[in-house]
Amino acid sequence: MEEYRHRLMDYVREEIMPHRFCTGCGCGTVLNAFVNAVEGVGLSPAKMVCVSGIGCSSWIPSPYFRSDTLHTTHGRPIAFATGVKIMRPDLTVIVIAGDGDVAGIGGNHLIHAARRNIDLSVFMVNNMIYGMTGGQVAPTTPYGVKTSTTPHNNVEPAFKVAELVMTAGASYVARWTTYHVFPLMESMQNAIRKRGFSFIEIVSQCPDNYGRRIGLRTAVEFLHQFKEKAVRIDKTAGMSEAELADRIIIGKLCDRERPEFTAELHALTRRIVAALKQEQPA
Amino acid sequence: MIEIDEHLCKGCDICIEFCPLKVFEKSEKLNRKGYYVPLVACEDECVGCRLCELLCPEFAIIVTNE
């Protein structure tokens, strides 16, 4: 048994493997890509804090990734992560949570963290539904899909979360699917290295609670669909909105330099403390 | 060399379907949890691209380049 050990098992809490994700769940692939990315960056898990919320994908860092983790209340992982980063700017703070958490319930935290451009890496696993609680409609559920709370049809259009975060002012934004694992892994490395708010939307499969409602019962069918629907962002220039409506735009949406929040905040604090000391000599 | 950890595999068949060289095959063998684990059918074809290792949601595939 020892000789077959996976080379990255040191990064995973091996004692609780196999994990509890359903057969073919995309969360497992995201965990795999994430662990590979952390190894690729050469980051020690001792220098990381992973923050997650409630939902299947929040189980990726907590309990399966072997670092310090904060498993927080529903929708608040970015709020908690902001606190961690401000108090410990030396640590790499990573948020892995689902679409219901980050874009639904915690949507306001997301846009304001992007606006502040705080140095967090947020990996949002978008399975397009509230999977853990039984397949209720989420803000990322596509138009016209039947879910357990929209048994006839979903009449709301889906959120384009990556575009929203880019507009809000994040430093690095990308979107990939669980089929595009190699670019996803590279993108995660870039996001971890990037100073500023970096966000990756990972379109993922949920065969058990979403797939069975839309006729994709296995992970294989899902990945084939991701492969067919994905279109690289550099190939979208000549395409109309109607053509792109049913497609998944993948690739790097933006990579730019903007002032980072914690650095600005700590510089300001130092300046004020120095000024006060000059005013009132001890 | 490809090794499959039978205790971790949940039989999702992603590796069988997406290996570019179709190295894996569905087997008749059940693991202790009742999943059909894949079989490494034509290992000679493998070029060590590690796509299966990275796509596997279960950390069940170990590819070693020798």
Side-chain angles (χ1 to χ4, degrees):
Chain A
M1 187 59 217
E2 196 53 41
E3 60 187 313
Y4 298 157
R5 197 167 177 273
H6 196 286
R7 73 195 158 90
L8 298 174
M9 268 299 171
D10 288 341
Y11 288 87
V12 177
R13 292 193 198 275
E14 196 179 0
E15 62 275 16
I16 47 169
M17 296 294 270
H19 54 59
R20 293 195 183 175
F21 300 129
C22 308
T23 299
C25 175
C27 294
T29 309
V30 175
L31 174 64
N32 199 339
F34 176 60
V35 165
N36 273 282
V38 170
E39 192 227 10
V41 174
L43 199 61
S44 158
K47 285 276 161 201
M48 292 169 73
V49 176
C50 290
V51 188
S52 67
I54 302 300
C56 298
S57 45
S58 294
W59 279 57
I60 295 171
S62 162
Y64 298 118
F65 186 66
R66 198 184 285 278
S67 78
D68 284 344
T69 51
L70 265 174
H71 206 138
T72 70
T73 46
H74 202 355
R76 313 294 170 230
I78 295 176
F80 279 84
T82 303
V84 174
K85 187 71 197 178
I86 290 170
M87 290 318 290
R88 291 295 302 271
D90 55 313
L91 299 177
T92 305
V93 185
I94 288 165
V95 176
I96 305 181
D99 51 323
D101 231 30
V102 170
I105 293 160
N108 234 0
H109 297 300
L110 175 71
I111 52 174
H112 289 290
R115 175 179 62 84
R116 286 182 194 121
N117 201 32
I118 182 161
D119 187 17
L120 302 177
S121 303
V122 179
F123 303 141
M124 187 189 86
V125 183
N126 180 2
N127 61 1
M128 294 167 272
I129 204 147
Y130 284 100
M132 183 180 262
T133 47
Q136 291 86 355
V137 68
T140 43
T141 308
Y143 180 84
V145 168
K146 286 178 183 163
T147 70
S148 62
T149 46
T150 55
H152 302 290
N153 252 347
N154 175 25
V155 290
E156 302 170 18
F159 231 148
K160 292 179 182 172
V161 188
E163 281 82 354
L164 172 81
V165 174
M166 181 179 73
T167 315
S171 275
Y172 181 94
V173 181
R175 185 193 284 113
W176 298 102
T177 77
T178 44
Y179 172 73
H180 305 87
V181 269
F182 280 108
L184 169 64
M185 188 181 80
E186 262 173 49
S187 197
M188 279 181 164
Q189 293 181 355
N190 294 337
I192 293 169
R193 285 195 193 104
K194 187 80 188 174
R195 189 138 175 80
F197 192 81
S198 37
F199 179 85
I200 303 177
E201 178 182 346
I202 306 152
V203 180
S204 170
Q205 71 270 25
C206 176
D208 280 24
N209 253 335
Y210 181 58
R212 72 187 161 99
R213 292 187 166 85
I214 59 162
L216 299 170
R217 286 186 168 267
T218 63
V220 170
E221 287 172 65
F222 255 109
L223 292 191
H224 273 302
Q225 199 205 40
F226 290 161
K227 191 179 169 183
E228 283 158 25
K229 279 192 174 180
V231 52
R232 291 256 175 184
I233 188 150
D234 45 347
K235 303 229 168 91
T236 55
M239 294 172 84
S240 69
E241 201 159 313
E243 276 178 296
L244 287 171
D246 198 33
R247 307 296 291 268
I248 303 165
I249 302 167
I250 57 164
K252 186 170 74 183
L253 275 77
C254 77
D255 186 356
R256 57 194 169 191
E257 299 300 328
R258 284 189 62 229
E260 197 272 320
F261 177 71
T262 39
E264 297 271 308
L265 186 71
H266 288 293
L268 177 72
T269 317
R270 277 196 300 273
R271 211 164 62 228
I272 291 170
V273 169
L276 283 175
K277 273 183 184 162
Q278 267 188 347
E279 269 176 32
Q280 308 163 314
Chain B
M1 201 172 76
I2 307 166
E3 294 293 346
I4 294 171
D5 192 330
E6 286 179 14
H7 301 297
L8 293 180
C9 180
K10 284 187 193 148
C12 68
D13 297 349
I14 288 176
C15 51
I16 300 174
E17 186 71 18
F18 291 98
C19 172
L21 296 161
K22 304 285 171 212
V23 169
F24 300 95
E25 255 176 34
K26 190 101 183 154
S27 77
E28 299 289 303
K29 194 178 165 193
L30 286 167
N31 68 2
R32 63 176 174 181
K33 295 218 166 132
Y35 296 113
Y36 287 102
V37 293
L39 177 79
V40 186
C42 19
E43 203 170 328
D44 304 340
E45 297 276 313
C46 179
V47 291
C49 73
R50 291 176 180 270
L51 182 65
C52 55
E53 195 184 88
L54 202 56
L55 270 177
C56 178
E58 309 293 333
F59 291 84
I61 303 176
I62 303 144
V63 182
T64 44
N65 293 349
E66 282 173 15

